[in-house]
Amino acid sequence: MGRGALSGHLPVMYAQVLDGLNVRGNGTYLDGTFGRGGHARGVLEQLGPGGRLLVMDKDPEAIAVAEREFAADPRVAIYRGSFAELAQWNETAAGLDGILFDLGVSSPQLDVAERGFSFGKDGPLDMRMDPDSGLSAAQWLAQADERDIADVLWTYGEERMSRKIARTIVARRAEQPLLRTAQLADLIASVMPRGDSKIHPATRSFQAIRIFINRELADLEIGLDAALARLKPGGRLAVISFHSLEDRIVKQFILRHSKAPPANRRMPIEVAFTPLLMAIGGAQKAFDEETSVNPRARSAVLRVAEKLDQEAA
């Protein structure tokens, strides 16, 4: 996933994102997923004294980095919260020239065992991007119905063994609570057929639980609508996705607002369609030079769209 930008490491698709945002020196730009600020720094370097950079993140650790690095810069404003709330932030009311969403889990979140995102590092089974809100993965797995667990694993992880895994979770939690990432990963591995796949058997289930716990797809849909509302004509929206469920939502959103729906012969009156967006190119992938040094970039897909001027339409 995407948002690591520790010293010496550029964030995923750095040059392509900055190119897509088409940063103007006096513009106002929102990074809705600050992470460790790699993309945000790139935008700020291109802004003049009249430019503005707005940064958001649900993660208090990310916000602490933003405040430490940027609080003294009068061009920067910082907000702790999901990008789904961007239209509620007064700083966005005057309109935005560019918006970036870099979806998924940031590299620091994956790298710190205590956050509970990674089955590769044993830690508390948490998975919340905002540890101060909602249920942790452990709390949800302790109380959810077997059917609900199976539905989450299937819907958000496309896990074919979802029912068997859910049944085993419910049976195991009756004996002892599932509190650690290694416990859950071992449980899933124990019921999965031993294939020749290089992917760990728990990968899809961990992804599914994380997406559900953090309301990632629902937030994405709300955030895209809010982004369209807040973008100025000519403003750019850039979204980096890391799996097909996210990318499908982004692709369909851009399509829905850029191309008229196919004609319906049953409709006697043709409904007028006014495009609000124009896709800038198609799906972009990370270059080979990047994927060779950052394997996480292999699954990244960037889509860019520009808001159209309704007055000129």
Side-chain angles (χ1 to χ4, degrees):
M1 321 322 218
R3 299 182 272 128
L6 304 175
S7 57
H9 295 285
L10 287 178
V12 167
M13 303 183 78
Y14 177 80
Q16 289 147 285
V17 164
L18 290 180
D19 186 49
L21 286 173
N22 193 28
V23 179
R24 298 198 301 273
N26 63 347
T28 301
Y29 296 86
L30 171 76
D31 183 344
T33 45
F34 179 79
R36 288 302 179 266
H39 293 114
R41 282 184 206 99
V43 171
L44 199 56
E45 282 169 13
Q46 297 187 29
L47 292 181
R52 292 279 286 156
L53 173 66
L54 313 180
V55 301
M56 304 181 76
D57 206 295
K58 292 197 283 193
D59 186 338
E61 292 178 21
I63 291 299
V65 172
E67 287 176 340
R68 192 164 65 240
E69 290 201 25
F70 298 129
D73 192 323
R75 299 171 298 170
V76 179
I78 300 165
Y79 179 99
R80 180 182 167 190
S82 166
F83 58 66
E85 301 164 14
L86 76 85
Q88 297 158 37
W89 186 16
N90 288 342
E91 292 281 356
T92 70
L96 301 168
D97 296 289
I99 298 172
L100 169 66
F101 298 159
D102 182 3
L103 306 175
V105 188
S106 69
S107 299
Q109 288 168 334
L110 282 171
D111 293 341
V112 176
E114 287 71 35
R115 301 301 296 273
F117 287 104
S118 174
F119 47 78
K121 298 177 173 67
D122 184 35
L125 189 56
D126 195 315
M127 297 198 199
R128 287 173 295 177
M129 292 179 187
D130 178 353
D132 298 328
S133 84
L135 296 176
S136 70
Q139 289 168 327
W140 178 68
L141 286 172
Q143 65 184 49
D145 290 346
E146 181 181 321
R147 178 185 284 184
D148 289 344
I149 296 171
D151 283 350
V152 164
L153 300 185
W154 171 253
T155 304
Y156 301 126
E158 297 170 318
E159 174 52 72
R160 292 192 305 278
M161 303 289 290
S162 56
R163 288 181 181 173
K164 190 172 184 184
I165 294 169
R167 197 159 53 243
T168 308
I169 286 171
V170 170
R172 187 73 58 86
R173 77 185 184 191
E175 299 163 13
Q176 61 173 144
L178 288 164
L179 301 174
R180 309 283 298 179
T181 55
Q183 269 182 296
L184 180 59
D186 291 346
L187 178 155
I188 293 167
S190 73
V191 302
M192 295 285 279
R194 293 268 181 259
D196 56 1
S197 172
K198 294 187 179 73
I199 299 171
H200 189 284
T203 301
R204 286 185 293 272
S205 295
F206 267 66
Q207 169 192 296
I209 294 166
R210 188 204 85 220
I211 288 171
F212 172 77
I213 288 291
N214 292 289
R215 298 184 66 252
E216 290 176 46
L217 300 187
D219 274 9
L220 176 57
E221 291 181 336
I222 296 166
L224 289 170
D225 284 337
L228 180 58
R230 283 292 190 250
L231 273 177
K232 296 176 183 174
R236 294 280 184 89
L237 170 67
V239 186
I240 305 173
S241 306
F242 285 86
H243 58 75
S244 59
L245 294 173
E246 293 171 337
D247 184 52
R248 197 177 305 144
I249 290 171
V250 178
K251 179 183 179 181
Q252 289 173 351
F253 177 83
I254 294 172
L255 198 62
R256 187 164 69 247
H257 292 291
S258 59
K259 286 197 164 54
N264 185 341
R265 286 174 303 177
R266 295 194 190 89
M267 292 284 285
I269 303 166
E270 195 171 312
V271 179
F273 176 79
T274 305
L276 300 175
L277 288 173
M278 174 178 66
I280 305 295
Q284 300 179 50
K285 301 286 283 181
F287 299 129
D288 291 345
E289 298 90 330
E290 180 175 0
T291 57
S292 64
V293 295
N294 181 9
R296 286 180 189 160
R298 286 184 201 133
S299 56
V301 177
L302 170 65
R303 293 186 187 273
V304 180
E306 183 173 302
K307 185 163 181 183
L308 297 172
D309 188 348
Q310 294 309 296
E311 300 300 319

